[in-house]
């Protein structure tokens, strides 16, 4: 339906908007991690896809790149949490019901994150949510806490599309056209990431960050670590800590 | 949706730009005329009305965003018209309303329209029963569906009636987890406030 189209456009705009590269985060109003207990996190599977952006604007998924990026990102996440002294708690998906529970909340989180990206970042603001950041997965998210022993869940999403040779040729042709007064500016690769921290006792999204642009090639270990460090830079992670503004700028590519 | 998200570039943005119209606040307690038709409702809580048109006789409201709660009004749909805008008229035309339809026919039209518009086979009607809508004898049905390429399972409820040969119906749908239960009473309050004429 049309509404789905509208949301798709918002997401596409976020991906392609070169002017707003870099991270931008939101923290739930006045939220701070509880001071009286350690922060333990269940890391949800990174929802990561890597592909090649074709000349016409379509993306051709690349399974090898995606697999490499997922593995590097998982390691980078573990390393980032270790350096912050955050204990990661896995969910045993072989236990009855856990695989469905994880799948249900990953799907719900995608719908919530899509709403946050559309209505907090793209510009089509919801009047009832003016100056508010109060999205939630609902208190049922506590089941993820019970299954893992964690008090927070971290969700991660990434779409990294590298420009194909044909795309780069179109870019060059467009720029050359400027010399004769016929400019067609074609964007190069597309890199969009977001992460959200969910308090499992309430299901509330307490911190959310979007990173547009690239901090490195996620198909390689170093690039994946750069991306994870950039997006997590503003995440509250110590007991008693609230949100903080980030000044990390992404490298436009 | 996922496929669309992958499409980038100016052409896609330009083509669909009118769909990105903004939202308007629908304050609690204030009667609202739906699409300048004969249908008026008074919401019990504040909602956001989507500026983009779903079709000539449809309008959408939401609380947290369309992916999380979708309140849709179908108002004064005449015979021969679809519920909402065609998505692929040539290959998959949407079914058209007929003034002689009975409740099961309306439900079948709704189901078929959703299967086409959302490209999904994961749609089920869970219950159908008589109901009163705007003081007129009508129907209520509940349904479940999953949109293709989105794993989130959604529930929905629809209430409506055929008045003077035209279809009036209000639907609410939201993810099964948390969102549906949280606001189904707010939807029913909107339905209870509906007036036609």
């Amino acid at each position: 339906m049309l509404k789905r189209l509208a949301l798709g456009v918002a997401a596409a705009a976020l991906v392609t908007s070169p002017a707003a590269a870099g991270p931008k985060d939101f923290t739930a109003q006045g939220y701070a991690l509880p001071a009286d207990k350690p922060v333990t996190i269940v890391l949800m599977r990174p929802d990561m896809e890597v592909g090649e952006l074709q000349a016409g604007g379509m993306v051709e998924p690349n399974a090898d790149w995606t697999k490499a990026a997922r593995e590097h990102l998982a390691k980078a996440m573990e390393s980032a949490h270790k350096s912050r002294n955050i204990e990661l708690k896995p969910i045993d998906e072989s236990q009855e019901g856990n695989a469905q529970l994880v799948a249900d909340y990953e799907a719900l989180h995608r719908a919530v994150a899509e709403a946050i990206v559309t209505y907090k970042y793209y510009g089509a603001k919801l009047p009832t949510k003016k100056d508010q950041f109060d999205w939630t997965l609902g208190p049922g998210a506590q089941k993820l806490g019970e299954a893992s022993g964690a008090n927070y869940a971290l969700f991660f999403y990434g779409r990294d599309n590298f420009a194909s040779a044909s795309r780069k040729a179109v870019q060059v042709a467009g720029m050359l056209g400027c010399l004769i007064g016929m400019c067609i500016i074609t964007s190069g690769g597309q890199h969009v990431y977001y992460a959200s921290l969910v308090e499992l006792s309430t299901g509330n999204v307490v911190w959310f960050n979007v990173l547009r642009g690239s901090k490195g090639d996620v198909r390689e270990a170093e690039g994946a670590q750069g991306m994870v460090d950039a997006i997590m830079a503003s995440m509250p992670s110590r007991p008693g800590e609230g949100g903080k503004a980030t000044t990390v700028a992404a490298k436009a590519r | 949706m996922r496929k669309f998200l992958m499409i980038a570039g100016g052409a896609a943005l330009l083509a669909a730009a009118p769909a990105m119209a903004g939202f308007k606040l629908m304050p609690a307690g204030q009667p609202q005329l739906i699409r300048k038709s004969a249908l008026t409702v008074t919401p019990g809580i504040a909602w956001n009305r989507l500026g983009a048109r779903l079709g000539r006789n449809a309008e959408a409201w939401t609380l947290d965003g369309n992916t999380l709660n979708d309140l849709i009004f179908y108002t004064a749909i005449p015979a021969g018209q679809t519920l909402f805008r065609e998505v692929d008229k040539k290959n998959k035309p949407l079914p058209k309303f007929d003034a002689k339809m009975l409740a099961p026919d309306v439900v079948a039209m709704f189901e078929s329209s959703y299967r086409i518009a959302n490209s999904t086979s994961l749609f089920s009607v869970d219950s159908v029963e008589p109901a009163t809508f705007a003081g007129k004898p009508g129907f209520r049905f509940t349904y479940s569906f999953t949109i293709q390429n989105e794993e989130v399972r959604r529930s929905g409820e629809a209430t409506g009636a055929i008045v003077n040969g035209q279809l009036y119906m209000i639907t609410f749908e939201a993810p099964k987890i948390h969102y549906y239960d949280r606001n189904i009473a707010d939807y029913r309050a909107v339905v209870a406030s509906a007036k036609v004429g």
Side-chain angles (χ1 to χ4, degrees):
Chain A
M1 267 168 34
L2 187 61
K3 59 194 165 145
R4 304 265 169 236
L5 192 75
L7 293 177
V9 170
L14 184 71
V15 170
T16 54
S17 168
K24 184 183 178 188
D25 70 313
F26 286 95
T27 306
Q29 281 89 349
Y31 187 80
L33 298 175
D36 57 347
K37 58 181 174 186
V39 178
T40 52
I41 288 180
V42 55
L43 197 57
M44 308 304 281
R45 268 183 299 243
D47 181 357
M48 179 74 218
E49 285 179 15
V50 187
E52 196 170 36
L53 188 61
Q54 304 299 316
M58 292 300 289
V59 170
E60 193 174 306
N62 186 309
D64 291 339
W65 292 354
T66 297
K67 184 169 176 282
R70 282 181 186 168
E71 287 171 3
H72 290 312
L73 283 168
K75 282 184 191 151
M77 290 271 204
E78 278 179 32
S79 157
H81 284 84
K82 202 171 175 185
S83 67
R84 291 158 178 246
N85 292 320
I86 299 173
E87 189 185 351
L88 289 180
K89 300 266 193 179
I91 287 187
D92 181 1
E93 290 194 39
S94 65
Q95 282 208 7
E96 196 185 349
N98 280 2
Q100 187 61 52
L101 179 71
V102 167
D104 282 346
Y105 274 91
E106 283 178 341
L108 179 63
H109 174 265
R110 216 169 290 134
V112 171
E114 190 176 314
I116 294 172
V117 167
T118 304
Y119 304 114
K120 275 293 173 193
Y121 287 82
Y122 183 63
K125 302 280 188 284
L126 296 169
T128 58
K129 283 192 181 289
K130 198 181 172 199
D131 303 325
Q132 280 184 49
F133 189 87
D134 60 354
W135 271 274
T136 187
L137 304 188
Q142 178 57 41
K143 289 182 207 148
L144 288 173
E146 288 161 9
S148 63
N151 46 21
Y152 290 87
L154 183 66
F155 292 82
F156 186 86
Y157 170 101
R159 292 291 177 272
D160 217 321
N161 299 319
F162 294 86
S164 64
S166 59
R167 179 83 180 175
K168 285 175 183 164
V170 169
Q171 269 187 291
V172 171
M175 287 174 203
L176 287 176
C178 295
L179 298 175
I180 55 168
M182 285 179 62
C183 281
I184 301 169
I185 302 299
T186 305
S187 66
Q190 303 165 344
H191 316 273
V192 61
Y193 290 81
Y194 56 72
S196 57
L197 187 65
V198 173
E199 181 185 60
L200 293 176
S201 61
T202 58
N204 293 345
V205 177
V206 295
W207 170 85
F208 191 89
N209 196 13
V210 166
L211 177 65
R212 281 168 282 185
S214 175
K215 290 296 290 178
D217 188 337
V218 289
R219 297 168 297 184
E220 293 164 8
E222 195 184 339
Q225 191 68 58
M227 191 63 81
V228 166
D229 289 345
I231 203 161
M232 286 180 62
S234 65
M235 187 180 97
S237 52
R238 284 183 295 279
E241 189 181 4
K244 57 176 180 270
T246 176
T247 55
V248 180
K251 184 171 68 179
R253 297 208 309 189
Chain B
M1 172 62 208
R2 182 66 59 86
K3 260 184 275 175
F4 193 85
L5 192 136
M6 288 293 193
I7 300 172
L13 288 172
L14 283 177
M20 280 314 296
F23 289 88
K24 188 175 178 202
L25 181 69
M26 298 285 108
Q30 289 187 18
Q32 301 292 337
L33 192 62
I34 306 298
R35 293 210 65 80
K36 296 177 183 169
S37 70
L39 177 62
T40 305
V41 297
T42 307
I45 59 170
W47 292 75
N48 308 286
R49 188 185 73 194
L50 180 65
R53 286 169 57 153
L54 300 179
R56 202 179 299 163
N57 299 68
E59 176 172 307
W61 294 9
T62 186
L63 294 167
D64 301 280
N66 312 67
T67 55
L68 300 176
N69 23 56
D70 224 352
L71 177 66
I72 303 181
F73 301 89
Y74 300 96
T75 179
I77 292 188
Q81 195 174 303
T82 58
L83 274 180
F84 38 79
R85 190 176 290 173
E86 295 275 7
V87 287
D88 183 3
K89 192 172 183 179
K90 192 175 170 192
N91 299 309
K92 289 181 186 171
L94 294 173
K96 293 181 169 66
F97 172 66
D98 183 328
K100 296 191 195 78
M101 280 180 166
L102 301 173
D105 305 319
V106 174
V107 175
M109 175 179 72
F110 183 83
E111 176 175 354
S112 175
S113 300
Y114 260 54
R115 283 178 184 273
I116 292 171
N118 293 317
S119 300
T120 185
S121 55
L122 301 169
F123 185 103
S124 65
V125 174
D126 304 323
S127 68
V128 186
E129 61 185 12
T132 301
F133 180 82
K136 309 284 193 298
F139 54 85
R140 177 186 303 119
F141 61 93
T142 57
Y143 53 98
S144 310
F145 67 105
T146 303
I147 294 171
Q148 195 176 34
N149 295 329
E150 286 182 26
E151 290 82 5
V152 64
R153 292 184 287 173
R154 291 184 167 86
S155 298
E157 182 168 309
T159 317
I162 297 170
V163 183
N164 299 328
Q166 296 181 319
L167 175 64
Y168 292 83
M169 182 165 71
I170 306 175
T171 64
F172 174 73
E173 51 203 50
K176 270 183 199 294
I177 298 178
H178 182 61
Y179 282 90
Y180 183 78
D181 288 341
R182 192 189 71 179
N183 294 112
I184 188 67
D186 298 309
Y187 156 75
R188 287 176 185 155
V190 169
V191 169
S193 75
K195 291 191 176 101
V196 174

